[in-house]
PDB file of all heavy atoms in Angstrom:
ATOM      1  N   LYS C  34      -5.414 -51.823 -52.280  1.00  0.00           N
ATOM      2  CA  LYS C  34      -6.720 -51.891 -51.616  1.00  0.00           C
ATOM      3  C   LYS C  34      -7.850 -51.836 -52.646  1.00  0.00           C
ATOM      4  O   LYS C  34      -8.936 -52.318 -52.390  1.00  0.00           O
ATOM      5  CB  LYS C  34      -6.881 -50.739 -50.636  1.00  0.00           C
ATOM      6  CG  LYS C  34      -5.883 -50.769 -49.496  1.00  0.00           C
ATOM      7  CD  LYS C  34      -6.422 -51.597 -48.335  1.00  0.00           C
ATOM      8  CE  LYS C  34      -5.342 -51.720 -47.264  1.00  0.00           C
ATOM      9  NZ  LYS C  34      -5.510 -52.848 -46.394  1.00  0.00           N
ATOM     10  N   ALA C  35      -7.610 -51.200 -53.746  1.00  0.00           N
ATOM     11  CA  ALA C  35      -8.587 -51.216 -54.838  1.00  0.00           C
ATOM     12  C   ALA C  35      -7.849 -51.761 -56.053  1.00  0.00           C
ATOM     13  O   ALA C  35      -6.643 -51.563 -56.187  1.00  0.00           O
ATOM     14  CB  ALA C  35      -9.098 -49.813 -55.107  1.00  0.00           C
ATOM     15  N   LYS C  36      -8.594 -52.439 -56.893  1.00  0.00           N
ATOM     16  CA  LYS C  36      -7.922 -53.103 -58.001  1.00  0.00           C
ATOM     17  C   LYS C  36      -7.304 -52.107 -58.974  1.00  0.00           C
ATOM     18  O   LYS C  36      -7.940 -51.143 -59.391  1.00  0.00           O
ATOM     19  CB  LYS C  36      -8.913 -53.994 -58.732  1.00  0.00           C
ATOM     20  CG  LYS C  36      -8.230 -55.217 -59.314  1.00  0.00           C
ATOM     21  CD  LYS C  36      -9.252 -56.267 -59.747  1.00  0.00           C
ATOM     22  CE  LYS C  36      -8.713 -57.159 -60.840  1.00  0.00           C
ATOM     23  NZ  LYS C  36      -7.372 -57.688 -60.615  1.00  0.00           N
ATOM     24  N   LEU C  37      -6.047 -52.348 -59.287  1.00  0.00           N
ATOM     25  CA  LEU C  37      -5.398 -51.551 -60.330  1.00  0.00           C
ATOM     26  C   LEU C  37      -5.463 -52.345 -61.619  1.00  0.00           C
ATOM     27  O   LEU C  37      -5.656 -53.564 -61.604  1.00  0.00           O
ATOM     28  CB  LEU C  37      -3.929 -51.303 -59.978  1.00  0.00           C
ATOM     29  CG  LEU C  37      -3.628 -50.443 -58.757  1.00  0.00           C
ATOM     30  CD1 LEU C  37      -2.124 -50.309 -58.579  1.00  0.00           C
ATOM     31  CD2 LEU C  37      -4.257 -49.061 -58.920  1.00  0.00           C
ATOM     32  N   GLU C  38      -5.279 -51.652 -62.712  1.00  0.00           N
ATOM     33  CA  GLU C  38      -5.202 -52.340 -63.998  1.00  0.00           C
ATOM     34  C   GLU C  38      -4.022 -53.319 -63.934  1.00  0.00           C
ATOM     35  O   GLU C  38      -3.010 -53.032 -63.289  1.00  0.00           O
ATOM     36  CB  GLU C  38      -4.923 -51.279 -65.060  1.00  0.00           C
ATOM     37  CG  GLU C  38      -5.282 -51.673 -66.464  1.00  0.00           C
ATOM     38  CD  GLU C  38      -4.904 -50.536 -67.393  1.00  0.00           C
ATOM     39  OE1 GLU C  38      -5.411 -49.408 -67.184  1.00  0.00           O
ATOM     40  OE2 GLU C  38      -4.068 -50.767 -68.282  1.00  0.00           O
ATOM     41  N   LYS C  39      -4.141 -54.445 -64.603  1.00  0.00           N
ATOM     42  CA  LYS C  39      -3.052 -55.416 -64.551  1.00  0.00           C
ATOM     43  C   LYS C  39      -1.844 -54.908 -65.363  1.00  0.00           C
ATOM     44  O   LYS C  39      -1.992 -54.592 -66.544  1.00  0.00           O
ATOM     45  CB  LYS C  39      -3.534 -56.750 -65.117  1.00  0.00           C
ATOM     46  CG  LYS C  39      -2.528 -57.837 -64.904  1.00  0.00           C
ATOM     47  CD  LYS C  39      -3.078 -59.199 -65.320  1.00  0.00           C
ATOM     48  CE  LYS C  39      -1.965 -60.202 -65.108  1.00  0.00           C
ATOM     49  NZ  LYS C  39      -2.083 -61.399 -65.847  1.00  0.00           N
ATOM     50  N   PRO C  40      -0.698 -54.817 -64.728  1.00  0.00           N
ATOM     51  CA  PRO C  40       0.463 -54.274 -65.460  1.00  0.00           C
ATOM     52  C   PRO C  40       0.950 -55.250 -66.528  1.00  0.00           C
ATOM     53  O   PRO C  40       0.812 -56.464 -66.386  1.00  0.00           O
ATOM     54  CB  PRO C  40       1.533 -54.130 -64.379  1.00  0.00           C
ATOM     55  CG  PRO C  40       0.872 -54.406 -63.075  1.00  0.00           C
ATOM     56  CD  PRO C  40      -0.370 -55.190 -63.353  1.00  0.00           C
ATOM     57  N   LYS C  41       1.529 -54.687 -67.575  1.00  0.00           N
ATOM     58  CA  LYS C  41       2.174 -55.506 -68.593  1.00  0.00           C
ATOM     59  C   LYS C  41       3.674 -55.476 -68.333  1.00  0.00           C
ATOM     60  O   LYS C  41       4.181 -54.503 -67.761  1.00  0.00           O
ATOM     61  CB  LYS C  41       1.865 -54.948 -69.981  1.00  0.00           C
ATOM     62  CG  LYS C  41       0.382 -55.023 -70.337  1.00  0.00           C
ATOM     63  CD  LYS C  41       0.136 -54.840 -71.820  1.00  0.00           C
ATOM     64  CE  LYS C  41      -0.144 -53.416 -72.237  1.00  0.00           C
ATOM     65  NZ  LYS C  41      -1.409 -52.841 -71.799  1.00  0.00           N
ATOM     66  N   PRO C  42       4.384 -56.519 -68.756  1.00  0.00           N
ATOM     67  CA  PRO C  42       5.833 -56.516 -68.521  1.00  0.00           C
ATOM     68  C   PRO C  42       6.458 -55.240 -69.081  1.00  0.00           C
ATOM     69  O   PRO C  42       6.149 -54.849 -70.212  1.00  0.00           O
ATOM     70  CB  PRO C  42       6.327 -57.744 -69.286  1.00  0.00           C
ATOM     71  CG  PRO C  42       5.135 -58.652 -69.361  1.00  0.00           C
ATOM     72  CD  PRO C  42       3.939 -57.750 -69.427  1.00  0.00           C
ATOM     73  N   GLY C  43       7.297 -54.579 -68.259  1.00  0.00           N
ATOM     74  CA  GLY C  43       7.974 -53.368 -68.722  1.00  0.00           C
ATOM     75  C   GLY C  43       7.291 -52.089 -68.286  1.00  0.00           C
ATOM     76  O   GLY C  43       7.846 -51.006 -68.419  1.00  0.00           O
ATOM     77  N   GLN C  44       6.061 -52.214 -67.757  1.00  0.00           N
ATOM     78  CA  GLN C  44       5.395 -51.014 -67.264  1.00  0.00           C
ATOM     79  C   GLN C  44       5.894 -50.674 -65.862  1.00  0.00           C
ATOM     80  O   GLN C  44       6.592 -51.468 -65.228  1.00  0.00           O
ATOM     81  CB  GLN C  44       3.881 -51.238 -67.225  1.00  0.00           C
ATOM     82  CG  GLN C  44       3.224 -51.122 -68.597  1.00  0.00           C
ATOM     83  CD  GLN C  44       1.715 -51.067 -68.465  1.00  0.00           C
ATOM     84  OE1 GLN C  44       1.120 -51.962 -67.873  1.00  0.00           O
ATOM     85  NE2 GLN C  44       1.110 -50.038 -69.020  1.00  0.00           N
ATOM     86  N   PHE C  45       5.515 -49.498 -65.414  1.00  0.00           N
ATOM     87  CA  PHE C  45       5.959 -49.100 -64.084  1.00  0.00           C
ATOM     88  C   PHE C  45       4.792 -48.475 -63.325  1.00  0.00           C
ATOM     89  O   PHE C  45       3.757 -48.164 -63.906  1.00  0.00           O
ATOM     90  CB  PHE C  45       7.114 -48.101 -64.184  1.00  0.00           C
ATOM     91  CG  PHE C  45       6.734 -46.778 -64.788  1.00  0.00           C
ATOM     92  CD1 PHE C  45       6.413 -45.691 -63.979  1.00  0.00           C
ATOM     93  CD2 PHE C  45       6.672 -46.612 -66.173  1.00  0.00           C
ATOM     94  CE1 PHE C  45       6.044 -44.478 -64.537  1.00  0.00           C
ATOM     95  CE2 PHE C  45       6.311 -45.394 -66.736  1.00  0.00           C
ATOM     96  CZ  PHE C  45       5.985 -44.327 -65.915  1.00  0.00           C
ATOM     97  N   THR C  46       4.979 -48.314 -62.026  1.00  0.00           N
ATOM     98  CA  THR C  46       3.997 -47.580 -61.225  1.00  0.00           C
ATOM     99  C   THR C  46       4.730 -46.439 -60.526  1.00  0.00           C
ATOM    100  O   THR C  46       5.948 -46.402 -60.509  1.00  0.00           O
ATOM    101  CB  THR C  46       3.355 -48.444 -60.126  1.00  0.00           C
ATOM    102  OG1 THR C  46       4.328 -48.632 -59.084  1.00  0.00           O
ATOM    103  CG2 THR C  46       2.880 -49.781 -60.650  1.00  0.00           C
ATOM    104  N   GLU C  47       3.954 -45.527 -59.989  1.00  0.00           N
ATOM    105  CA  GLU C  47       4.527 -44.512 -59.105  1.00  0.00           C
ATOM    106  C   GLU C  47       4.251 -44.967 -57.683  1.00  0.00           C
ATOM    107  O   GLU C  47       3.083 -45.131 -57.291  1.00  0.00           O
ATOM    108  CB  GLU C  47       3.879 -43.146 -59.355  1.00  0.00           C
ATOM    109  CG  GLU C  47       4.292 -42.477 -60.660  1.00  0.00           C
ATOM    110  CD  GLU C  47       5.632 -41.738 -60.567  1.00  0.00           C
ATOM    111  OE1 GLU C  47       6.163 -41.599 -59.438  1.00  0.00           O
ATOM    112  OE2 GLU C  47       6.152 -41.300 -61.617  1.00  0.00           O
ATOM    113  N   ILE C  48       5.321 -45.176 -56.940  1.00  0.00           N
ATOM    114  CA  ILE C  48       5.169 -45.561 -55.529  1.00  0.00           C
ATOM    115  C   ILE C  48       5.179 -44.291 -54.690  1.00  0.00           C
ATOM    116  O   ILE C  48       6.063 -43.439 -54.849  1.00  0.00           O
ATOM    117  CB  ILE C  48       6.317 -46.484 -55.076  1.00  0.00           C
ATOM    118  CG1 ILE C  48       6.330 -47.751 -55.920  1.00  0.00           C
ATOM    119  CG2 ILE C  48       6.187 -46.813 -53.587  1.00  0.00           C
ATOM    120  CD1 ILE C  48       7.398 -48.753 -55.518  1.00  0.00           C
ATOM    121  N   TYR C  49       4.186 -44.168 -53.836  1.00  0.00           N
ATOM    122  CA  TYR C  49       4.022 -42.926 -53.077  1.00  0.00           C
ATOM    123  C   TYR C  49       4.002 -43.201 -51.582  1.00  0.00           C
ATOM    124  O   TYR C  49       3.393 -44.171 -51.128  1.00  0.00           O
ATOM    125  CB  TYR C  49       2.696 -42.289 -53.504  1.00  0.00           C
ATOM    126  CG  TYR C  49       2.206 -41.165 -52.616  1.00  0.00           C
ATOM    127  CD1 TYR C  49       2.925 -39.972 -52.520  1.00  0.00           C
ATOM    128  CD2 TYR C  49       1.028 -41.282 -51.888  1.00  0.00           C
ATOM    129  CE1 TYR C  49       2.468 -38.928 -51.720  1.00  0.00           C
ATOM    130  CE2 TYR C  49       0.558 -40.239 -51.097  1.00  0.00           C
ATOM    131  CZ  TYR C  49       1.296 -39.059 -51.018  1.00  0.00           C
ATOM    132  OH  TYR C  49       0.843 -38.045 -50.224  1.00  0.00           O
TER     133      TYR C  49
END
Side-chain angles (χ1 to χ4, degrees):
Chain C
K34 297 272 174 203
K36 212 166 154 47
L37 294 180
E38 201 182 302
K39 188 173 178 201
K41 295 196 267 291
Q44 282 192 304
F45 66 96
T46 74
E47 287 278 351
I48 300 182
Y49 167 65

